[in-house]
């Protein structure tokens, strides 16, 4: 074949394939990828002859005479529709078996292969660690049932040792799980609470480039003094003592080099392990491991960005009206804190905002020792100050420290508490704070009805809930924990159980409050064994109520309410007059507009369109079967009569309409999800 002819044939073939792809896309009325549609059309063009030959053979051999115009037109239409039917079938089958996005592209595939190899090595290492500590059967969902305390203790110890060997991400995971008394038995909470992420510090040769890059210059030029020996080293970063040019003593928290890549890989493994355990094990489903893994991944990513912690520290400081940071040229540092009524304090360091970045955090240095070193005579006072501080942050200020465990507390040199590590901070809006205040006050009054109403304001109300049963459960809870001489141990754990038993879905910000209070409960017990948590919480509620109910606050609340009501009250008489006049003259009516939302109309129109296509396709198919079963007509083309030829065309039309409906059906779940997310 000559080159010009070959080029012409190639161009004609390409145009035919493009026209076939365009026709397929329009007939299906579903947007497919251009590459997928073109490949389907190209494959259909290659399969056209072997597929059409047996179809045309049923029409019968031609006798060499020219068929009538109607027969020729019907035969041509049949051939064209069969050619379009092939790529339509391929696309619908591909949509059902391999939806768009389920297979990666070439570049994504190459990156995925490298990622799988890297994760595979890490998987192997983690599996060896788990097996070495006796956790292999539990990963396969075949572990022994833990009905006795000794078995739980053994498994908890094995889990702690395995997480400790797993590295930074798994140590952090264990620390987070140790605060979830609502999910884990007490044996696991106690054992995981022993996890420490103290590791050998990184050498100065690795830390110095990070400081230079983040601070924009050599360390000796930025600071008046810098201690190259770290005060403490953890898995994510290490802390150095330094002094600013202004003379203020600060600590500098530096992120370990390369830690982000390691954590990112481990987080992906945690997600996959959580999904596997949730699908294969009973305990994984009961704990909701997939959601736990997502929440943990979000939290640890925030912890890797020190700017988040600096913003949290500034927010807590600003909520008390104290300086948020020191951005003045002198670089001085200010301390935030809460002064209680007796002059004691809970202090927290303020960040030096101008010197904080993603991998470096500079903040004021608090001088003291671990809070566990407090004497027995100091414990009750410190516990009272901490409880008062956290309750005020939650109920009054709306910005609170979400992880008040003993490791984040210091006993300062002046005998007060210092609150550290603001990587996890919760925020509450005014409506949630008001509901929590009503919840606390109703608990103080031991009012089950008030507690139930306040709880259902804090959490989303389910469609079906047995409120009387919930009220009785909360009444029993208060009788068990709030009566005279009752023990407050496991109070928040029992409250979590009630919430989960009645299917109440706790919003993330409220869950952070409950987790913080559960962690606080354990911290208070360590600070002061036998601490009267109930009595002190009631005392706080009484003080808060007395603070709120004053002539000034009542006058201010009435002023705000009246300001909002006055415009409505001014319009109310005219509206009442119009309604009364319309009712008097018989013109009173109510107009209800169904499907007023354009999205609702579009959704109903799509359903009707789908039903109509189904009816038309079924009708064409029944007509085709009827015509193909008709006998006695004279042959028109080969051995096929005109009615049979029409029947073949109707059969192909029925198949095209059916494929269009199937394409919409297979694409419908993703469309509905997108529509629901926009509401």
């Amino acid at each position: 074949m000559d080159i010009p002819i070959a080029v012409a044939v190639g161009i004609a073939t390409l145009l035919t394939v493009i026209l076939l792809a365009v026709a397929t896309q329009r007939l299906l009325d579903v947007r497919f990828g251009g590459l997928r549609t073109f490949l389907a059309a190209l494959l259909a063009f290659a399969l056209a002859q072997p597929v059409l030959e047996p179809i045309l053979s049923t029409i019968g051999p031609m006798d060499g005479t020219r068929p009538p115009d109607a027969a020729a037109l019907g035969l041509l239409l049949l051939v064209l529709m069969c050619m379009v039917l092939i790529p339509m079938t391929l696309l619908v089958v591909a949509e059902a078996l391999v939806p768009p996005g389920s297979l990666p592209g070439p570049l994504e595939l190459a990156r995925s292969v490298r990622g799988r190899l890297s994760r595979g090595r890490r998987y192997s290492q983690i599996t060896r660690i788990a097996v070495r500590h006796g956790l292999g059967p539990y990963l396969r969902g075949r572990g022994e049932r833990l009905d006795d305390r000794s078995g739980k203790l053994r498994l908890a110890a094995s889990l702690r040792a395995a997480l400790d060997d797993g590295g930074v991400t798994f140590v952090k995971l264990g620390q987070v799980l140790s605060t979830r008394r609502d999910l884990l038995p007490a044996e696991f909470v106690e054992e995981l609470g022993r996890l420490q992420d103290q590791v050998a510090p990184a050498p100065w040769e690795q830390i110095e480039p990070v400081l230079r890059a983040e601070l924009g210059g050599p360390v000796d030029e930025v600071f008046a003094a810098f201690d190259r020996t770290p005060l403490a080293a953890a898995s994510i970063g290490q802390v150095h003592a330094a002094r600013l040019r202004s003379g203020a003593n600060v600590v500098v928290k530096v992120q370990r080099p390369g830690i982000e890549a390691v954590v990112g890989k481990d987080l992906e493994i945690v997600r996959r392990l959580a999904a596997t355990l949730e699908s294969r094990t009973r305990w994984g489903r009961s704990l909701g491991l997939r959601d736990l893994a997502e929440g943990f991944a979000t939290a640890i990513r925030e912890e890797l960005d020190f700017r988040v912690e600096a913003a949290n520290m500034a927010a807590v400081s600003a909520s008390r009206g104290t300086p948020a940071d020191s951005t003045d040229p002198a670089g001085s540092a200010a301390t935030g804190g809460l002064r209680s009524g007796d002059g004691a304090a809970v202090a927290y360091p303020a960040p030096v905002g101008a010197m904080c970045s993603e991998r470096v955090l500079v903040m004021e240095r608090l001088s003291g020792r671990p809070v566990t070193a407090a004497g027995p005579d100091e414990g009750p006072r410190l516990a009272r100050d901490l409880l008062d501080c956290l309750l005020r942050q939650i109920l009054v200020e709306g910005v609170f420290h979400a992880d008040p465990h003993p490791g984040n507390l210091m006993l300062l040199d002046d005998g007060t508490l210092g609150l550290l590590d603001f990587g996890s901070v919760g925020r509450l809006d005014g409506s949630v704070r008001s509901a929590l205040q009503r919840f606390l006050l109703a608990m103080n009054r031991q009012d089950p009805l008030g507690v139930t109403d306040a709880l259902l304001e804090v959490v989303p109300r389910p469609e079906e809930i047995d409120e009387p049963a919930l009220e009785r459960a909360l009444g029993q809870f208060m009788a068990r924990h709030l009566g005279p001489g009752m023990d407050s141990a496991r109070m928040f754990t029992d409250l979590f159980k009630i919430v989960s038993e009645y299917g109440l879905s706790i919003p993330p910000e409220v869950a952070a409050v409950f987790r913080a209070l559960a962690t606080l409960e354990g911290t208070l017990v360590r600070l002061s064994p036998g601490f009267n948590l109930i009595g002190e919480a009631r005392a706080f509620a009484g003080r808060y109520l007395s603070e709120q109910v004053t002539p000034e606050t009542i006058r201010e609340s009435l002023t705000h309410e009246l300001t909002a009501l006055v415009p409505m009250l001014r319009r109310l008489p005219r509206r009442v007059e119009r309604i009364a006049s319309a009712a008097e003259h018989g013109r009173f009516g109510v107009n209800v507009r169904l499907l007023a939302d354009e999205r609702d109309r579009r959704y109903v129109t799509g359903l009707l369109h789908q039903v109509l296509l189904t009816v038309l396709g079924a009708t064409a198919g029944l007509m085709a079967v009827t015509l193909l079963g008709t006998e006695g007509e004279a042959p028109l083309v080969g051995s096929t009569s005109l009615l049979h030829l029409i029947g073949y065309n109707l059969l192909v039309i029925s198949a095209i309409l059916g494929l269009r409906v199937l394409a919409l059906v297979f694409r419908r779940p993703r469309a509905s999800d997108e529509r629901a997310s926009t509401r």
Side-chain angles (χ1 to χ4, degrees):
M1 182 182 296
D2 295 338
I3 293 179
I5 297 177
V7 172
V9 171
I11 294 175
T13 301
L14 180 61
L15 291 177
T16 303
V17 171
I18 293 175
L19 291 175
L20 194 58
V22 172
T24 301
Q25 186 81 46
R26 294 298 300 272
L27 285 174
L28 286 176
D29 196 28
V30 173
R31 184 176 296 277
F32 293 96
L35 179 61
R36 177 178 289 222
T37 306
F38 180 80
L39 291 177
L42 184 61
L43 184 59
F45 184 83
L47 296 175
Q49 181 177 357
V51 171
L52 293 179
E53 186 173 352
I55 296 176
L56 295 177
S57 65
T58 60
I59 298 177
M62 301 291 183
D63 56 3
T65 61
R66 182 176 179 273
D69 293 339
L73 181 61
L75 187 60
L76 177 62
L77 182 61
L78 178 63
V79 171
L80 292 177
M81 287 193 300
C82 286
M83 287 190 65
V84 177
L85 185 64
I86 298 173
M88 290 179 64
T89 304
L90 294 175
L91 284 176
V92 170
V93 172
E95 178 72 17
L97 299 180
V98 190
S102 60
L103 291 179
L107 294 179
E108 294 179 354
L109 182 61
R111 287 195 294 265
S112 175
V113 170
R114 290 197 301 269
R116 286 177 181 272
L117 292 176
S118 177
R119 285 196 303 271
R121 291 191 294 268
R122 184 63 171 150
Y123 269 127
S124 176
Q125 182 182 3
I126 294 171
T127 302
R128 290 196 301 270
I129 292 174
V131 172
R132 186 167 67 247
H133 292 284
L135 299 179
Y138 295 95
L139 294 179
R140 296 189 295 269
R142 300 174 183 175
E144 60 177 342
R145 296 180 62 89
L146 301 177
D147 298 325
D148 59 331
R149 175 174 169 79
S150 61
K152 292 180 181 179
L153 289 175
R154 287 195 304 272
L155 179 58
S158 299
L159 178 61
R160 180 192 58 78
L163 292 176
D164 203 3
D165 287 349
V168 48
T169 307
F170 296 95
V171 169
K172 292 294 182 183
L173 177 61
Q175 292 174 345
V176 171
L177 291 176
S178 68
T179 67
R180 297 303 303 267
R181 298 189 176 196
D182 55 321
L183 298 178
L184 296 180
E187 294 82 2
F188 286 83
V189 171
E190 181 179 356
E191 187 67 33
L192 294 179
R194 300 175 182 174
L195 278 173
Q196 300 293 331
D197 57 356
Q198 298 291 331
V199 297
W204 175 251
E205 292 75 16
Q206 298 179 9
I207 294 297
E208 196 272 339
V210 176
L211 289 169
R212 178 189 291 270
E214 297 295 321
L215 297 175
V219 174
D220 294 334
E221 294 181 4
V222 176
F223 296 97
F226 193 96
D227 188 357
R228 287 165 170 74
T229 302
L231 296 173
S235 51
I236 288 182
Q238 57 192 53
V239 177
H240 293 259
R243 188 172 67 253
L244 299 179
R245 292 290 178 183
S246 63
N249 291 322
V250 295
V251 292
V252 182
K253 186 176 179 181
V254 189
Q255 190 176 116
R256 284 177 175 269
I259 193 66
E260 189 172 358
V262 176
V263 171
K265 187 190 306 180
D266 283 351
L267 286 180
E268 183 64 23
I269 292 174
V270 168
R271 280 201 190 92
R272 293 172 181 268
L273 284 176
T276 301
L277 291 174
E278 183 171 334
S279 62
R280 296 184 181 180
T281 64
R282 183 175 59 255
W283 62 270
R285 287 188 295 272
S286 64
L287 293 180
L289 289 182
R290 194 190 302 266
D291 293 337
L292 281 177
E294 289 298 330
F296 169 70
T298 301
I300 201 169
R301 281 204 179 91
E302 290 185 353
E303 192 172 348
L304 286 174
D305 190 348
F306 290 168
R307 292 172 299 184
V308 174
E309 184 173 353
N312 292 338
M313 297 168 66
V316 173
S317 297
S319 67
R320 293 298 301 166
T322 56
D325 59 44
S326 58
T327 57
D328 60 296
S332 60
T335 304
L338 167 67
R339 289 281 169 184
S340 62
D342 60 358
V346 175
Y348 27 83
V352 183
M355 304 179 71
C356 296
S357 65
E358 183 177 358
R359 296 188 295 169
V360 172
L361 175 62
V362 182
M363 54 188 162
E364 178 205 8
R365 182 177 183 180
L366 299 181
S367 179
R369 60 190 189 278
V371 73
T372 53
D377 54 333
E378 298 177 295
R381 175 182 59 83
L382 297 176
R384 189 182 310 114
D385 289 342
L386 180 60
L387 176 64
D388 190 83
C389 174
L390 194 67
L391 289 179
R392 185 169 291 274
Q393 286 181 355
I394 293 173
L395 298 174
V396 182
E397 299 156 13
V399 182
F400 62 95
H401 194 294
D403 192 19
H405 64 78
N408 288 337
L409 294 169
M410 285 183 63
L411 180 59
L412 303 183
D413 293 338
D414 60 358
T416 61
L417 279 175
L419 195 55
L420 309 175
D421 194 355
F422 289 80
S424 178
V425 165
R427 290 176 172 81
L428 301 174
D429 57 36
S431 61
V432 176
R433 292 203 306 274
S434 298
L436 288 174
Q437 291 166 9
R438 289 190 292 273
F439 181 82
L440 178 61
L441 294 175
M443 291 273 285
N444 185 36
R445 297 191 306 267
Q446 297 194 39
D447 178 12
L449 180 59
V451 171
T452 304
D453 292 340
L455 180 62
L456 292 178
E457 289 183 34
V458 172
V459 303
R461 181 186 292 267
E463 295 182 1
E464 297 182 1
I465 183 173
D466 190 349
E467 288 194 37
L470 176 60
E471 183 180 341
R472 289 193 299 271
L474 290 172
Q476 294 173 0
F477 165 79
M478 288 186 290
R480 184 182 308 114
H481 294 287
L482 304 183
M486 295 292 103
D487 184 12
S488 63
R490 297 184 58 83
M491 183 178 68
F492 291 107
T493 303
D494 290 346
L495 182 59
F496 283 132
K497 288 182 180 178
I498 294 175
V499 169
S500 60
E501 286 175 1
Y502 285 87
L504 301 179
S505 176
I506 303 179
E509 64 274 12
V510 179
V513 173
F514 284 175
R515 286 198 301 270
L517 292 176
T519 305
L520 177 67
E521 181 184 19
T523 303
L524 296 177
V525 171
R526 292 194 62 180
L527 280 176
S528 176
F531 180 72
N532 187 5
L533 175 61
I534 303 302
E536 293 297 333
R538 285 180 169 177
F540 175 86
R543 290 196 303 273
Y544 174 75
L545 184 60
S546 63
E547 291 175 4
Q548 297 300 307
V549 184
T550 61
E552 291 77 11
T553 57
I554 294 176
R555 188 185 308 111
E556 184 178 356
S557 299
L558 288 176
T559 302
H560 290 165
E561 294 294 335
L562 288 176
T563 303
L565 285 175
V566 164
M568 183 182 67
L569 293 175
R570 292 179 60 185
R571 293 191 298 267
L572 187 59
R574 292 195 299 271
R575 293 181 177 179
V576 172
E577 175 62 24
R578 284 198 297 267
I579 293 173
S581 176
E584 181 181 0
H585 295 87
R587 298 192 304 270
F588 183 75
V590 178
N591 294 326
V592 179
R593 293 183 60 190
L594 296 176
L595 304 177
D597 195 327
E598 173 63 26
R599 293 171 296 182
D600 293 334
R601 293 197 297 271
R602 191 162 55 244
Y603 179 67
V604 173
T605 301
L607 289 180
L608 293 176
H609 184 205
Q610 210 168 342
V611 171
L612 181 60
L613 287 178
T614 304
V615 172
L616 290 177
T619 303
L622 291 175
M623 292 176 61
V625 172
T626 302
L627 292 176
L628 290 175
T630 304
E631 300 292 344
E633 288 288 333
L636 187 62
V637 180
S639 59
T640 302
S641 65
L642 178 61
L643 293 180
H644 288 175
L645 185 60
I646 295 175
Y648 284 128
N649 281 276
L650 287 176
L651 190 62
V652 177
I653 291 174
S654 175
I656 291 175
L657 293 177
L659 288 173
R660 178 164 177 159
V661 172
L662 289 176
L664 292 173
V665 168
F666 290 136
R667 185 61 63 91
R668 178 68 62 187
R670 289 184 290 278
S672 62
D673 291 343
E674 180 180 356
R675 181 173 55 255
S677 65
T678 59
R679 288 180 180 269

